[in-house]
Amino acid sequence: MFQLSAAPMINEPIDTSVAMRPAPVTVGVIHGILLTLWISTMTFVIPTFGEMFANFGARLPTFTQFLLDISVPFRRWFFGAVLFFGFLVWADTEIYRHICESRGRLAGLTWFWTWTAFLLVLLLSTILGLFMPVFCMGEVVNR
């Protein structure tokens, strides 16, 4: 029989400080997807809902009106917003890489999950802000 050349590498210790953390590319992809969803919601979905709610003639809740107001720059300067958020994703991956190299795996994972949680809350609160008028209008109709 013959022995594979990779067999001696099985007994070598694994450097868990590197192996147990997501790669910077993974961090950039996940945070990039979340930011892309948020940008597309702010650019395309919110104005559509704004036009739909304007046809009802009802007063919008404050948070929904705030979302409509801050979606205007996203529509006017769409490519500038895409470039800015692309820079944010690049900076995010570089900061993540630096934290992992200088402070270790736990600090890198803390950075990753903190920003992931922030972006998820940002996206979900934006989506919930769109449906808030629907709930409020249902309250008005049932009275």
Side-chain angles (χ1 to χ4, degrees):
M1 290 295 224
F2 63 93
Q3 183 178 3
L4 295 174
S5 62
M9 293 181 5
I10 294 173
N11 295 328
E12 292 179 9
I14 297 173
D15 183 13
T16 58
S17 64
V18 175
M20 301 301 286
R21 66 179 167 90
V25 172
T26 306
V27 171
V29 167
I30 291 172
H31 291 171
I33 288 171
L34 291 173
L35 278 172
T36 302
L37 288 172
W38 188 67
I39 289 173
S40 60
T41 302
M42 294 298 290
T43 306
F44 303 113
V45 177
I46 289 180
T48 304
F49 272 84
E51 292 169 6
M52 184 176 66
F53 293 138
N55 292 337
F56 290 142
R59 186 173 168 264
L60 293 175
T62 306
F63 185 67
T64 306
Q65 186 61 48
F66 173 72
L67 286 175
L68 286 170
D69 292 342
I70 65 171
S71 72
V72 172
F74 285 94
R75 285 179 279 156
R76 285 192 185 151
W77 302 296
F78 176 72
F79 293 109
V82 169
L83 287 175
F84 176 71
F85 287 115
F87 171 75
L88 282 181
V89 169
W90 173 80
D92 178 37
T93 56
E94 291 300 314
I95 292 170
Y96 172 75
R97 180 181 293 134
H98 174 72
I99 287 174
C100 286
E101 290 172 358
S102 64
R103 296 189 181 174
R105 180 177 65 92
L106 185 60
L109 286 174
T110 303
W111 172 267
F112 171 71
W113 285 113
T114 301
W115 275 102
T116 303
F118 169 74
L119 292 172
L120 282 172
V121 166
L122 182 70
L123 183 63
L124 292 175
S125 65
T126 302
I127 292 170
L128 288 175
L130 290 175
F131 291 108
M132 200 179 298
V134 174
F135 299 131
C136 291
M137 286 179 191
E139 230 177 70
V140 170
V141 170
N142 289 332
R143 285 186 184 179

